[in-house]
Amino acid sequence: MSELMKAIVVERLGPPDVMEIKDIPVPVAGEGEIRIEVEAVGINFADVLAVAGQYLTRTRVPYTPGMEFAGIVESLGEGVDNVKVGQRVACLGGSGSLAKYAVVKAGAVIPVPENFTGAQAAAFPVSYFTAYHGLKTLGRGQEGEWVLVQAAAGALGTASVQLAKALGMRVIAMASTEEKLQLARDLGADVTLLQDDPDRVQKVRDAAGGQGVPLILEVVGGKRFQESLDMAAGQGRIIVIGNASREDAKLRPVELMKRNLTVTGLWLTSLMSDRKATMAATQALTPLVASGKVTPQVGPTYALADSARAFQDILDRKTTGKVVIEPGR
Ligand code: NDP
């Protein structure tokens, strides 16, 4: 009989409480694979959407969520020579890490900076690579230029604020509460504004010198997307990264034409296969991490048995930084 481990299992799609903790077989590392003892799982909004069946790709059930995690290499399948047993690694993509062990392809692991804890390593890849691509690869942000960061106290938001400042940009941060705005200020945001401020469009335009903002990282969608168009400067770039409101937005192309605006979609999963872009992001991020100029903001941490609560807290906008679940706790 195979050995069993605790894992989160989703058998039908829906709100976070469809997630159940169960005993399932410990996975075995096959050829070219490694088994990792999971220390920390970084929970992204995408995980919440995937469990609800609302993500960009179809969620097949039954499954164990958890696309971003860090842990200690526990055993190696045949032919693996790029990692050692006992080494801390991070992984990105797929699913299955809300469990005591996860098996991944040896080529999928990301080395972890020595100064990172397991929780920091699990909080890093998705948010910081997405932030970099939004600000630089697709956003073409320049030193001294203004950028508007929405949901600025969240996982991607805190990464975007930190990274934009480290790259010499000026940041307008928006979030739903004063406490969240304080976190954005602590991370260096130059101007902060409540998401529901009745004069937010004019205030954002004024903050960026009256002309509007040249670069916007748009993660809320719905009616807020129209506002992003109104907040943008002529020739502004709006990078569509998320749709946390889960509402549809309307786009009249003629409106882009009138003010020479550019709207660009960003999905990290598809950008990861662009080796040149990934290499450039890695080269830019590595020294910033080593010097401590960017440090992953680990938010609340939860035990595996509390996974549903962690997901619900993200949906209820109660969290700041990256929510982390620790299966070994
Ligand atoms: P966060 O930790 O930022 O949590 C989501 C935040 O979205 C909340 O804290 C909340 O901040 C804000 N929000 C605004 N409207 C709503 C709403 N109606 N319901 C719930 N939350 C809302 O999550 P992530 O950092 O994981 O993701 C942030 C966004 O970026 C998401 O839209 C996500 O899908 C996207 N993303 C996309 C990636 C890509 O490759 N395209 C990669 C990574 C993230 P507040 O209360 O301040 O408004």
Side-chain angles (χ1 to χ4, degrees):
M1 216 174 74
S2 55
E3 206 188 327
L4 297 179
M5 65 174 184
K6 295 277 179 224
I8 295 297
V9 178
V10 172
E11 286 175 344
R12 63 186 169 88
L13 302 177
D17 61 13
V18 298
M19 299 199 292
E20 291 179 90
I21 188 157
K22 294 204 166 177
D23 289 317
I24 65 167
V26 172
V28 176
E31 194 180 337
E33 293 180 331
I34 58 176
R35 185 159 74 194
I36 298 168
E37 182 164 4
V38 181
E39 287 184 291
V41 185
I43 307 301
N44 293 287
F45 203 76
D47 289 295
V48 180
L49 295 176
V51 168
Q54 296 172 342
Y55 193 47
L56 289 177
T57 51
R58 191 167 154 213
T59 313
R60 292 175 197 281
V61 289
Y63 92 115
T64 292
M67 58 180 74
E68 179 182 40
F69 71 101
I72 305 295
V73 176
E74 187 261 352
S75 60
L76 307 177
E78 239 176 85
V80 176
D81 57 10
N82 63 325
V83 288
K84 291 194 176 71
V85 170
Q87 186 181 337
R88 176 176 284 145
V89 291
C91 292
L92 175 54
S95 57
S97 66
L98 278 175
K100 183 165 168 52
Y101 296 102
V103 164
V104 298
K105 297 230 175 303
V109 298
I110 305 169
V112 171
E114 274 178 21
N115 54 340
F116 275 13
T117 61
Q120 286 175 321
F124 186 76
V126 169
S127 301
Y128 283 84
F129 276 84
T130 304
Y132 182 84
H133 291 314
L135 291 166
K136 294 298 284 186
T137 314
L138 301 174
R140 305 186 312 279
Q142 301 298 316
E143 216 177 310
E145 202 173 37
W146 283 100
V147 57
L148 172 64
V149 177
Q150 295 175 336
L156 177 61
T158 51
S160 302
V161 172
Q162 270 191 359
L163 193 53
K165 290 309 297 176
L167 295 169
M169 301 175 73
R170 292 187 282 178
V171 174
I172 303 170
M174 290 184 85
S176 60
T177 67
E178 260 310 325
E179 187 199 358
K180 289 183 176 187
L181 293 183
Q182 185 57 51
L183 174 58
R185 283 192 288 275
D186 292 345
L187 294 173
D190 300 277
V191 175
T192 56
L193 200 60
L194 284 171
Q195 202 205 28
D196 287 329
D197 187 301
D199 302 319
R200 56 192 175 271
V201 172
Q202 195 54 47
K203 283 185 179 171
V204 167
R205 293 188 66 84
D206 289 348
Q211 307 299 312
V213 196
L215 177 59
I216 299 180
L217 304 186
E218 162 64 59
V219 301
V220 181
K223 62 177 186 299
R224 301 286 176 168
F225 174 75
Q226 178 59 50
E227 285 183 12
S228 289
L229 297 180
D230 297 340
M231 289 169 181
Q235 297 186 39
R237 291 98 63 202
I238 296 141
I239 313 298
V240 175
I241 308 180
N243 188 40
S245 68
R246 293 182 287 169
E247 290 168 9
D248 279 340
K250 277 203 190 113
L251 173 63
R252 293 174 56 242
V254 70
E255 220 175 311
L256 303 182
M257 213 169 87
K258 247 178 10 195
R259 294 170 47 234
N260 305 293
L261 300 177
T262 306
V263 177
T264 305
L266 187 173
W267 190 32
L268 182 64
T269 304
S270 56
L271 255 181
M272 271 169 10
S273 58
D274 181 334
R275 286 176 62 87
K276 212 171 135 199
T278 303
M279 193 74 85
T282 307
Q283 276 171 2
L285 289 169
T286 303
L288 296 176
V289 167
S291 65
K293 278 194 177 160
V294 302
T295 313
Q297 297 299 299
V298 176
T301 60
Y302 301 78
L304 190 66
D306 296 324
S307 295
R309 185 160 59 84
F311 277 48
Q312 190 61 50
D313 285 349
I314 294 177
L315 264 182
D316 292 342
R317 304 163 77 162
K318 286 185 182 163
T319 64
T320 57
K322 176 82 83 168
V323 169
V324 167
I325 294 175
E326 297 171 325
R329 201 158 109 181

